[in-house]
Amino acid sequence: MTNRPKGKTSANRLRTLDLRPVHGEMIKPAELIDVHGATALTLSARRLYNLLIAHAFGPDMGREGSEWTIEIAALRGTHDSNDRLEDSILALMKTIVTVELADGRTRRVALLGGNDMGDPDRPRGALTYAFDKRLAPLLRESTVFGKLELEVMRAFSTKYALALYEAVARRVRLSQVFSEDFSLEAFRDLLGVADGRLATYSNLKLKAITPAVLEVNALASFGCKVEPRKTGRMVTGVRLSWWRKSVGEMKEAYAEIRRPRVGRKARVRKSVETVTIPHPLLPL
């Protein structure tokens, strides 16, 4: 990976966990966005993890041993009808990710620590959970983050779009930095493409990159573009570029979020056809 954007290093910069999200958004530390090894997580598991972060967000996330409790009913909206909440919780506990430390070392942590869960089939119940204790020191010193809109996250139809949205949200606030180069392997990891899937660039572009870019550009308050980078005739990397949308473009994205999901794929691909049905009493 080259041209990696770096945040400011001012000693008096406000720490991430001291921030307060406004209504309708969450703040996600960069240490939980720029991770390696979360490729097996489904869209539902990623949505659930973000909700757990949003619920826990604050200075206590930087303290080892902290726990939080959330009503199970509040978690059901992260899942489709055929997905089980318990499966996503177990997947988060089993997912070991690698975080790059500022001094060049790496740290391996589980995304979710131990937890106690009430009966998910009962009307009332709660999940009491904690994060891996080795995350606490990283989050305590975090100064880089992404602001994520809750409605936008709920609107994505693939995990690739959600992962791309988070990655750009963490970068779009940087001043004088508008792109970043990734090796193909690193970009596959960023999108959450599982090992052995979409092995060729043509398949990766068709099944993951293009749909993700289309959804992000249709729903987010910023735009992005992914361009191949070649060594000779072979694609060996990509350049991810981003920009802030105009007021008019942001209004259109806001309107699309509120439209029915039915037909969204055609709308974002600009392939909606207008069919004129003649009135029986009017001449053609």
Side-chain angles (χ1 to χ4, degrees):
M1 185 186 305
T2 58
N3 298 341
R4 183 171 185 174
K6 299 182 181 298
K8 297 178 182 178
T9 58
S10 173
N12 61 359
R13 188 174 184 186
L14 190 64
R15 290 188 172 94
T16 299
L17 296 184
D18 293 329
L19 301 174
R20 291 293 177 268
V22 301
H23 179 71
E25 76 173 19
M26 69 169 285
I27 295 173
K28 190 170 184 178
E31 290 77 6
L32 297 178
I33 296 176
D34 290 343
V35 298
H36 309 286
T39 58
L41 292 179
T42 64
L43 176 62
S44 294
R46 289 168 181 265
R47 285 175 174 161
L48 172 63
Y49 192 54
N50 281 348
L51 189 56
L52 295 178
I53 293 170
H55 180 73
F57 187 81
D60 283 350
M61 287 188 73
R63 301 187 183 110
E64 295 181 22
S66 294
E67 291 188 342
W68 298 267
T69 298
I70 187 171
E71 296 294 319
I72 291 175
L75 304 176
R76 291 196 181 101
T78 62
H79 281 60
D80 298 324
S81 58
N82 61 338
D83 290 333
R84 296 200 319 148
L85 182 61
E86 300 98 311
D87 292 341
S88 289
I89 291 173
L90 287 173
L92 291 171
M93 294 177 68
K94 293 176 182 178
T95 299
I96 307 298
V97 299
T98 302
V99 182
E100 295 181 7
L101 306 182
D103 60 5
R105 293 180 299 145
T106 59
R107 177 167 296 175
R108 293 174 179 83
V109 297
L111 285 179
L112 186 65
N115 55 83
D116 297 319
M117 185 175 181
D119 186 346
D121 296 323
R122 293 187 177 184
R124 298 183 65 84
L127 174 71
T128 299
Y129 63 99
F131 296 106
D132 190 314
K133 67 178 184 179
R134 297 186 70 81
L135 271 178
L138 300 179
L139 301 182
R140 187 165 58 242
E141 299 303 319
S142 172
T143 59
V144 182
F145 55 90
K147 288 187 176 182
L148 311 178
E149 297 178 65
L150 301 180
E151 282 191 296
V152 173
M153 289 192 296
R154 286 193 292 265
F156 290 128
S157 65
T158 72
K159 70 174 187 177
Y160 305 132
L162 178 55
L164 181 63
Y165 172 69
E166 292 187 14
V168 178
R170 169 253 188 274
R171 291 162 169 81
V172 74
R173 298 172 55 258
L174 296 170
S175 60
Q176 301 179 349
V177 180
F178 307 102
S179 67
E180 182 175 349
D181 290 348
F182 295 84
S183 70
L184 210 51
E185 180 181 356
F187 198 67
R188 287 169 53 86
D189 193 56
L190 179 146
L191 289 182
V193 179
D195 291 342
R197 297 290 304 276
L198 310 180
T200 66
Y201 179 73
S202 58
N203 282 340
L204 180 67
K205 180 180 178 182
L206 179 65
K207 300 293 186 179
I209 295 176
T210 297
V213 170
L214 285 172
E215 278 204 291
V216 169
N217 286 346
L219 301 172
S221 60
F222 47 76
C224 67
K225 179 171 62 174
V226 177
E227 299 172 289
R229 308 289 288 174
K230 294 184 176 182
T231 301
R233 300 178 63 180
M234 182 178 294
V235 176
T236 55
V238 299
R239 172 165 293 173
L240 173 63
S241 306
W242 55 83
W243 59 88
R244 296 182 182 275
K245 287 183 176 178
S246 67
V247 173
E249 290 170 330
M250 286 191 286
K251 287 181 178 179
E252 175 56 30
Y254 183 80
E256 179 57 44
I257 292 172
R258 280 155 179 73
R259 295 184 184 121
R261 287 196 177 193
V262 176
R264 176 168 292 160
K265 183 179 291 187
R267 290 193 299 271
V268 302
R269 290 180 178 273
K270 308 298 184 185
S271 59
V272 177
E273 295 183 3
T274 301
V275 178
T276 302
I277 302 177
H279 193 284
L281 300 180
L282 294 178
L284 295 176

